[in-house]
Amino acid sequence: MNYLIVFIVGGLFCLITQLIMDFTKIPPAKILVFYVVLGAILGALGIYKPLLDFAKMGAAIPLPGFGSSLIKSTFKAVDEDGLLGVFTGGLTGTAGGIEAAIIFGLLMSLLFKSKTKY
């Protein structure tokens, strides 16, 4: 049953994004930023945690989960290091995801040839 919940919640994030892209002229980059900021705001307000507890990776992997992780790790770093945690917490808490994105982006750039869209 957990797999089904993860699939449905993660799929809903994708469905909402696809509907926004299909029915509006909002560029994908703005949707990406909106999702990260939304996750950060909901994480700061404590609203995203119940969704994470319910949907687990179905809510943690999409972009709002990244925003929530940024805020959660920043709050933790501020508690431990004070003002310096504002600058270091977000990167420390999400370093694994950022590193994976860089490595996989590099691998894809080596494996495939990019083409300009016109």
Side-chain angles (χ1 to χ4, degrees), residues 37-117:
V37 171
L38 178 67
I41 292 169
L42 294 177
L45 296 174
I47 297 170
Y48 205 75
K49 180 152 177 31
L51 180 61
L52 284 169
D53 293 341
F54 172 72
K56 299 175 183 37
M57 294 310 283
I61 290 178
L63 292 169
F66 180 73
S68 176
S69 295
L70 281 170
I71 286 296
K72 185 171 82 172
S73 56
T74 300
F75 283 167
K76 181 180 175 190
V78 167
D79 287 343
E80 294 173 358
D81 302 329
L83 184 61
L84 183 62
V86 172
F87 303 105
T88 62
L91 287 175
T92 303
T94 58
I98 294 169
E99 183 178 356
I102 292 170
I103 290 172
F104 289 126
L106 174 65
L107 288 174
M108 293 301 112
S109 72
L110 295 173
L111 294 174
F112 300 101
K113 192 170 195 158
S114 64
K115 298 174 185 156
T116 312
K117 291 184 179 181

Side-chain angles (χ1 to χ4, degrees), residues 11-68:
L12 282 174
F13 281 116
C14 295
L15 174 67
I16 293 167
T17 303
Q18 190 64 50
L19 290 173
I20 292 170
M21 289 171 54
D22 287 347
F23 295 111
T24 68
K25 294 184 188 254
I26 300 173
K30 286 187 179 181
I31 298 169
L32 179 145
V33 171
F34 171 75
Y35 266 151
V36 173
V37 171
L38 178 67
I41 292 169
L42 294 177
L45 296 174
I47 297 170
Y48 205 75
K49 180 152 177 31
L51 180 61
L52 284 169
D53 293 341
F54 172 72
K56 299 175 183 37
M57 294 310 283
I61 290 178
L63 292 169
F66 180 73
S68 176

